[in-house]
Amino acid sequence: MLRHRPLAAIFTTLLLLVFSDFSFAEISMGEAINKAGRQRMLTQRIVKSYAQMGQDIRYLVAKQHLNDSVALFETQLRELKQFNKQAETTRALQQVERLWGPVKAIATGEVSKNKVEALRSNAEQLLVACHQVVLLLEDQSGTSQGHLVNIAGRQRMLSQRMGNLYTLFSWGFEKQQYRSDYNLAISEFEQALNELKQAPENNSDIAKALNQVSQNWDMFKYSSRMKEGEYVPGLVARMLDKILVQMNDITGMYAQLPAE
């Protein structure tokens, strides 16, 4: 077990570097939508990491993911507030900031099975508020590029949403609402992946990357099949993290396309 920890630590470091630019330099609208969309993902990743820690699933990696997610959420919130110049978006960002408080309080406290559902409930409200910021920025952009960045970025969120729900199932939270949310996330991911693959704006690099996502998506669906009460949360988390990194790269590619 111990010999695998350095590799896990390296992967965690790479994830942090992928998702962070550690910079408050002026950003483009495409980059702003990308960051706002990434906030949606972080709401779900925080719940997944917390639930993994509670079950001692890849504990050290999950703890690092949780800490990194909290730090990145706050960094990007500051960046978006600095970037934004629209009154309506300012109000939406203030709502995000208000809802972030309860999520952060639970996420950075002692991990408890009794608190994970409250964390998820608060994260769901925060997700809605973050999504509203994305929609407002997309409207401001008025481009097909903005729409593609939104859709591709949302795939990151869905990967972590599936992960947090699956991890909750493995922790004994088998609720009909959670099962419905899980099935809906799978359906929405698949529909959006098909939409992205057909986008006329795709260049050869984007098309190749989307095909790689499709291959890993098929592997995830196979690995996540389980009989009642039989779960493989560690394997599923690794598969979804791979898809997360790929979709993050693709979102960045869309953000860099010329705005039309």
Side-chain angles (χ1 to χ4, degrees), residues 100-111:
W100 168 238
V103 172
K104 181 183 178 182
I106 299 176
T108 57
E110 183 179 356
V111 176

Side-chain angles (χ1 to χ4, degrees), residues 73-87:
F73 191 97
E74 295 196 319
T75 296
Q76 291 187 150
L77 182 56
R78 290 195 298 270
E79 289 178 318
L80 291 167
K81 288 169 65 178
Q82 187 177 67
F83 169 83
N84 174 61
K85 301 296 188 292
Q86 299 290 329

Side-chain angles (χ1 to χ4, degrees), residues 191-211:
Q191 290 173 11
L193 182 57
N194 290 332
E195 178 183 346
L196 291 171
K197 290 171 70 174
Q198 295 170 17
E201 294 86 353
N202 292 349
N203 56 35
S204 59
D205 288 339
I206 293 175
K208 180 180 179 181
L210 286 169
N211 284 332

Side-chain angles (χ1 to χ4, degrees), residues 94-160:
Q94 289 171 343
Q95 175 72 346
V96 168
E97 193 164 32
R98 184 181 70 80
L99 293 171
W100 168 238
V103 172
K104 181 183 178 182
I106 299 176
T108 57
E110 183 179 356
V111 176
S112 168
K113 188 173 183 178
N114 293 330
K115 296 180 181 178
V116 68
E117 288 195 285
L119 176 61
R120 183 176 190 272
S121 178
N122 286 322
E124 289 294 282
Q125 296 178 60
L126 181 59
L127 171 61
V128 172
C130 290
H131 184 58
Q132 180 62 24
V133 173
V134 179
L135 294 179
L136 290 169
L137 291 173
E138 181 187 344
D139 285 345
Q140 289 179 40
S141 76
T143 65
S144 60
Q145 177 209 30
H147 176 69
L148 291 170
V149 173
N150 176 10
I151 297 301
R154 190 169 183 270
Q155 297 290 77
R156 298 174 298 194
M157 180 277 290
L158 289 171
S159 76
Q160 300 305 287

Side-chain angles (χ1 to χ4, degrees), residues 11-73:
F11 181 67
T12 300
T13 302
L14 287 174
L15 278 179
L16 182 58
L17 290 173
V18 164
F19 295 135
S20 307
D21 57 19
F22 304 104
S23 165
F24 286 93
E26 185 174 350
I27 60 177
S28 67
M29 177 60 78
E31 290 168 334
I33 298 172
N34 184 7
K35 290 176 184 291
R38 193 182 292 127
Q39 297 289 76
R40 297 177 298 193
M41 177 275 288
L42 292 172
T43 69
Q44 305 300 295
R45 188 170 179 78
I46 285 169
V47 178
K48 185 195 77 172
S49 300
Y50 186 97
Q52 285 180 305
M53 290 172 64
Q55 297 173 77
D56 199 19
I57 300 168
R58 304 168 73 215
Y59 182 91
L60 294 179
V61 175
K63 182 177 181 180
Q64 189 66 55
H65 285 178
L66 180 61
N67 292 339
D68 291 346
S69 295
V70 169
L72 183 55
F73 191 97

